[in-house]
Amino acid sequence: LHSSDRIIPKPVKLLTLARDLRRRKARERQGYFVAEGVRAVEELLRSPLDLRGALVTPQLAAAERGARLRHALGARGVAVLEVSEAEFASAAETESPQGVLAIASVPRRALDDLALPSVARLLVLDAVQDPGNLGTILRTAAALGVTATLALPGTVDLWNAKVVRSAMGTLFYHPALSCTWETLDAFRREHGVALWGADARGTLVDALAPEVRPPRLALGVGNEGSGISPALRARAERLVALRIASDVESLNVAVATGILLYQLRP
Amino acid sequence: LHSSDRIIPKPVKLLTLARDLRRRKARERQGYFVAEGVRAVEELLRSPLDLRGALVTPQLAAAERGARLRHALGARGVAVLEVSEAEFASAAETESPQGVLAIASVPRRALDDLALPSVARLLVLDAVQDPGNLGTILRTAAALGVTATLALPGTVDLWNAKVVRSAMGTLFYHPALSCTWETLDAFRREHGVALWGADARGTLVDALAPEVRPPRLALGVGNEGSGISPALRARAERLVALRIASDVESLNVAVATGILLYQLRP
């Protein structure tokens, strides 16, 4: 063994690592996640996050954008392992990952590190289950100026590869983090953050005068099938709804979140 | 051959038909589409659309809701063919279709048959490409009281199985139809319908006084990557935008459509 083996990661281990990181437990234990597809890996390179390595297939460099990305990975000193299409497929989680995935460190984020403006919006995810919905919600929250997105137990893992992909890079800088009700309760008490819940039987958001909106407001949105949980319902100071046609059961949770956040923006 | 062979469809043909209907050309030629999954088939049974038949796997009846659905199909006189998991998978298009798909007639819908209220919102889809986004947009349009959704050339087929699935049943009654620019232009002239386009460089929709909104307004939304087309840009009387953070490139098209429709509702 050369001494360099200890500081330069053995590239062949990257495939095993990527496969392992498909499981939430492995991501939590190892502190890494996987970003798949050209766009997500480009965004990752633009972010401050630490890259551990990348897997590519020979086909990546066939298209100009892929070739540029492969070059950029090398130029940044990222360990790149070229694997066969079959090996790549055994590690990838998303649809058409375009022959590139990168492994990076999950950023350490804590509720206590948040710089909370005097007028702020937070988003609380109460058992949102679909990774595509969660990614779209994170992208929406970042776009609509939400200070932080807090994922409560029962919500799909923020660092699931499908969430990372559909968040379109926003997860790399938007402060999204997992927390418990206890942590959130303490944070809300300390910083004077009101909690509202999205619920079809709530007050129409259009009917609320701007002055009833608390300066610091967390909006809680619930599960795709069952809506907000009893825990959120018990804590919410107000339930708010959107005006929708009586013959439609509900809006998609990402669409509903987008409309509510836009209606409630400071 | 018994004479009944001519009126009761041979069930074995249903598998071939379902496989064929994965192609848009086959759907257009045959006038049928496929709805996959328990929820979509339940909604189809509740709709006025004509069912041609259904494919099920033995596993469907294992869960109570599946067993009820299988019974309901039989009770409605729908030809049901039980196939193996492998045969079913060879016909299904969506993720986890839950062992049930139904074949139904594409409803005949024409722009000229629309009953257009004096105050109305229309939605115009200008090359929306992702089936999941299109389905979510249809669900959103139905929920937000849009009179009709018009899919222009370049937009993914409305009757694609993934669109049908993510529209959650709304496609079975919300008047969504494909049309050309020429048909739309003539319709707009005849009925006095204004056309606005969604574009990041447009006027902020929040800044528009309610009185500038035309009573009959069609909102055009564009492709996920490239936005609205030159054809829409040339025709739009106004471009409208949402207020989003400068470091986020864009909102998801279904989320943006939902927010704009909510902001522009009559």
Side-chain angles (χ1 to χ4, degrees):
Chain A
L1 281 180
H2 298 282
S3 63
S4 66
D5 285 352
R6 261 164 254 145
I7 46 169
I8 298 178
K10 267 201 168 146
V12 73
K13 293 279 175 64
L14 286 173
L15 180 59
T16 313
L17 180 59
R19 283 180 185 146
D20 200 29
L21 294 174
R22 285 174 302 171
R23 293 179 306 114
R24 180 176 189 158
K25 286 235 173 303
R27 292 192 293 270
E28 286 169 352
R29 198 180 51 238
Q30 309 233 27
Y32 290 122
F33 71 96
V34 173
E36 301 182 3
V38 171
R39 163 101 193 234
V41 177
E42 284 173 353
E43 296 281 359
L44 193 54
L45 274 176
R46 253 178 247 132
S47 83
L49 304 192
D50 283 329
L51 271 78
R52 168 74 173 74
L55 293 186
V56 302
T57 66
Q59 284 78 348
L60 174 65
E64 196 193 319
R65 190 169 167 185
R68 265 204 310 273
L69 177 56
R70 185 166 177 167
H71 177 79
L73 286 164
R76 273 274 295 270
V78 176
V80 176
L81 176 65
E82 190 171 289
V83 296
S84 69
E85 291 290 332
E87 284 171 322
F88 188 84
S90 75
E93 279 269 273
T94 64
E95 261 186 77
S96 40
Q98 305 167 313
V100 60
L101 66 78
I103 298 167
S105 297
V106 172
R108 284 169 200 280
R109 293 171 179 162
L111 211 39
D112 285 337
D113 298 338
L114 277 186
L116 197 64
S118 57
V119 175
R121 297 293 177 260
L122 297 172
L123 181 61
V124 171
L125 307 176
D126 181 23
V128 172
Q129 252 171 350
D130 180 80
N133 282 342
L134 178 51
T136 304
I137 287 173
L138 292 166
R139 181 179 167 195
T140 304
L144 299 184
V146 166
T147 301
T149 297
L150 312 174
L152 288 164
T155 298
V156 63
D157 181 27
L158 291 165
W159 301 97
N160 170 305
K162 290 180 185 173
V163 175
V164 174
R165 182 96 183 256
S166 56
M168 304 273 267
T170 52
L171 187 51
F172 306 150
Y173 61 89
H174 173 66
L177 52 101
S178 297
C179 75
T180 62
W181 275 113
E182 290 64 37
T183 316
L184 178 57
D185 289 344
F187 179 82
R188 291 205 302 118
R189 263 194 314 272
E190 188 181 344
H191 298 279
V193 179
L195 177 66
W196 289 7
D199 185 89
R201 283 153 299 176
T203 312
L204 276 185
V205 72
D206 339 18
L208 288 171
E211 53 274 19
V212 307
R213 296 179 198 171
R216 288 175 165 176
L217 172 61
L219 173 70
V221 298
N223 177 266
E224 287 85 348
S226 53
I228 58 172
S229 69
L232 176 49
R233 203 172 286 277
R235 286 166 170 87
E237 287 134 55
R238 190 188 282 276
L239 298 179
V240 285
L242 295 168
R243 190 188 299 273
I244 70 169
S246 57
D247 53 356
V248 178
E249 200 180 294
S250 64
L251 286 164
N252 166 277
V253 64
V255 174
T257 302
I259 300 176
L260 284 169
L261 287 175
Y262 208 83
Q263 290 278 318
L264 294 171
R265 69 202 180 286
Chain B
L1 281 180
H2 299 281
S3 64
S4 66
D5 285 354
R6 261 165 253 143
I7 45 171
I8 299 177
K10 269 199 168 147
V12 73
K13 294 280 175 62
L14 285 173
L15 180 59
T16 313
L17 180 58
R19 283 181 184 146
D20 200 29
L21 293 174
R22 286 175 301 172
R23 293 179 306 114
R24 180 177 190 158
K25 285 233 174 306
R27 291 192 293 272
E28 288 170 351
R29 198 180 50 236
Q30 309 233 29
Y32 290 122
F33 72 95
V34 172
E36 301 181 3
V38 170
R39 162 103 193 233
V41 177
E42 285 172 352
E43 296 280 359
L44 192 54
L45 274 175
R46 253 179 248 130
S47 83
L49 304 193
D50 283 328
L51 270 79
R52 168 75 173 73
L55 293 186
V56 301
T57 66
Q59 284 79 347
L60 173 64
E64 196 195 320
R65 189 170 168 185
R68 266 204 310 274
L69 177 57
R70 184 164 178 170
H71 177 78
L73 285 164
R76 272 275 294 269
V78 176
V80 176
L81 177 66
E82 191 172 290
V83 296
S84 69
E85 291 289 333
E87 285 172 321
F88 188 85
S90 74
E93 280 269 273
T94 63
E95 261 186 77
S96 40
Q98 304 167 312
V100 61
L101 66 77
I103 299 168
S105 296
V106 172
R108 286 169 198 280
R109 292 171 180 162
L111 210 40
D112 285 338
D113 299 337
L114 277 186
L116 197 64
S118 57
V119 176
R121 297 293 176 260
L122 297 172
L123 180 62
V124 170
L125 307 175
D126 183 24
V128 172
Q129 251 172 350
D130 180 81
N133 282 342
L134 179 51
T136 304
I137 287 173
L138 291 167
R139 181 178 168 195
T140 305
L144 299 184
V146 166
T147 301
T149 298
L150 312 173
L152 288 164
T155 298
V156 62
D157 181 26
L158 290 167
W159 300 98
N160 172 305
K162 291 181 185 171
V163 176
V164 173
R165 183 96 182 256
S166 56
M168 304 273 267
T170 53
L171 186 52
F172 306 151
Y173 62 88
H174 173 66
L177 52 100
S178 297
C179 75
T180 62
W181 275 113
E182 290 65 36
T183 316
L184 178 57
D185 289 344
F187 179 82
R188 291 207 301 118
R189 265 195 311 273
E190 188 181 343
H191 298 278
V193 179
L195 177 66
W196 288 8
D199 185 88
R201 283 154 298 178
T203 312
L204 275 186
V205 72
D206 339 18
L208 288 171
E211 55 272 20
V212 307
R213 295 177 199 172
R216 288 175 164 175
L217 172 61
L219 174 69
V221 298
N223 177 267
E224 286 85 348
S226 53
I228 58 173
S229 68
L232 176 50
R233 204 171 286 277
R235 285 167 171 87
E237 286 135 54
R238 189 188 286 275
L239 297 179
V240 284
L242 295 169
R243 190 188 300 273
I244 70 170
S246 57
D247 52 357
V248 178
E249 200 181 292
S250 63
L251 286 163
N252 165 276
V253 64
V255 174
T257 301
I259 301 175
L260 284 168
L261 286 176
Y262 207 83
Q263 290 279 318
L264 293 171
R265 70 201 180 287

